[in-house]
Amino acid sequence: SSVFADDINLWKKSTLNKILERGELQVCMEPGYMPFEMKDKKGRIIGYDVDFAKKMAKDMGVKLKLLPTAWDGIIAALVTGKCDIIMSGMTITQQRNLKINFADPYVVVGQTIMMKKELEGKIKSAKDLDKPEYTVVTKLGVTGEVATRKFFKNAKIITFETEADAASEVLNGKADAMVYDQPYNVLFMSDKGKGKLIHLDKPLTYEPLAWAVRKGDPDFLNWLNNFLRQMQEDKVVGFSDELYKKWLVD
Ligand code: ARG
């Protein structure tokens, strides 16, 4: 077969082609990770990823369907074709990247620590907190858990299904600190944590966040990366800057 025929076959198999034929972009995300995907008071899913997904569907000329998916099954959902893309504040890790492909990063974050106010002054770093008398919480299966297990060899570690449950544990005093993505912690501190918790906001890790797609699909990746660059670098329209101001700066 000619190189040209190979290209046509690749395109026919591309998720991008399937999205266009279906007339709908299907996105897996797990709400609860502010400000990227979360539920408003009416239960609608909103956030930074959601606005990007809407714009993406608009530029493709298709409808958008958000599929709320539990974090521990989100990669499996993508790989088995339950959705076209994961847009869920997912950190590119080398382990995940063995199973799925990532578009270029759209934000860089890092893990930070929120802790009880009583520990102010006494605890200034992860090292100070790594003592058997302290309990550190995080969410199961996220990079926060990986970082927690790396930085805390002596403290007690408890994981929760949701970031909200983990944060409540520190608020109600059952745990001493929480490790999670910085943007979430910043928002938590401006709301429920205000005056109650202390934020050690120096990042413990370097974490590019990116949208994930199935492997072997250069056409879709090419579209996503060019879309992303246009959103980020087109200062005339200023889409990305607007979103950044809307969701990531208090
Ligand atoms: N960035 C972290 C990770 O990739 C947490 C992302 C959690 N996202 C969510 N929608 N709950 O592990």
Side-chain angles (χ1 to χ4, degrees):
S1 68
S2 69
V3 172
F4 179 68
D6 287 347
D7 283 350
I8 295 285
N9 279 329
L10 206 56
W11 166 243
K12 278 187 191 152
K13 278 192 285 180
S14 173
T15 296
L16 184 55
N17 184 37
K18 286 178 192 143
I19 294 164
L20 298 182
E21 282 184 345
R22 191 199 297 132
E24 186 175 83
L25 168 67
Q26 302 178 343
V27 178
C28 278
M29 53 171 56
E30 186 203 46
Y33 176 60
M34 351 175 250
F36 294 88
E37 40 273 324
M38 57 217 185
K39 286 191 176 154
D40 69 7
K41 291 197 179 75
K42 288 183 177 152
R44 289 171 305 206
I45 307 172
I46 57 165
Y48 193 79
D49 279 322
V50 178
D51 284 354
F52 259 119
K54 282 182 184 159
K55 176 69 173 145
M56 210 180 260
K58 192 177 172 213
D59 286 359
M60 288 175 181
V62 300
K63 285 189 292 183
L64 174 65
K65 186 174 200 172
L66 301 178
L67 300 161
T69 310
W71 189 254
D72 71 351
I74 205 162
I75 290 180
L78 173 69
V79 170
T80 59
K82 303 268 180 337
C83 52
D84 303 313
I85 185 169
I86 297 173
M87 299 179 75
S88 203
M90 186 175 272
T91 302
I92 300 175
T93 70
Q94 279 53 65
Q95 290 69 32
R96 288 170 180 165
N97 210 172
L98 296 173
K99 297 185 210 147
I100 52 183
N101 279 9
F102 289 96
D104 293 340
Y106 59 107
V107 184
V108 174
V109 305
Q111 299 299 314
T112 60
I113 300 171
M114 283 193 293
M115 63 177 195
K116 279 181 183 168
K117 206 175 162 67
E118 297 92 285
L119 298 176
E120 189 169 15
K122 202 170 161 198
I123 306 288
K124 294 197 178 77
S125 64
K127 201 164 170 277
D128 296 340
L129 195 61
D130 190 21
K131 308 239 167 69
E133 66 258 41
Y134 296 126
T135 300
V136 181
V137 297
T138 186
K139 178 176 152 85
L140 188 70
V142 293
T143 47
E145 183 183 2
V146 176
T148 304
R149 301 206 183 277
K150 179 176 167 198
F151 287 97
F152 301 95
K153 298 292 186 206
N154 303 301
K156 187 177 175 202
I157 298 170
I158 305 178
T159 56
F160 289 85
E161 286 290 333
T162 70
E163 38 278 269
D165 287 345
S168 304
E169 204 75 355
V170 186
L171 261 195
N172 67 28
K174 285 192 201 146
D176 299 289
M178 164 160 171
V179 173
Y180 203 47
D181 296 33
Q182 186 178 36
Y184 181 93
N185 291 347
V186 167
L187 280 176
F188 195 84
M189 289 304 298
S190 70
D191 179 29
K192 290 186 185 136
K194 204 178 201 154
K196 299 202 178 94
L197 303 181
I198 301 292
H199 191 194
L200 301 180
D201 61 2
K202 189 172 162 270
L204 300 169
T205 55
Y206 171 82
E207 303 195 22
L209 306 186
W211 305 316
V213 297
R214 284 181 288 277
K215 284 182 164 288
D217 194 343
D219 288 325
F220 195 18
L221 264 189
N222 171 262
W223 193 93
L224 289 170
N225 284 332
N226 285 314
F227 165 81
L228 180 60
R229 186 176 44 206
Q230 195 69 37
M231 295 308 113
Q232 292 188 323
E233 303 302 328
D234 181 348
K235 304 296 173 189
V236 180
V237 174
F239 180 84
S240 200
D241 294 342
E242 283 291 309
L243 277 203
Y244 197 87
K245 269 186 248 152
K246 179 175 170 192
W247 297 109
L248 287 161
V249 184
D250 316 314

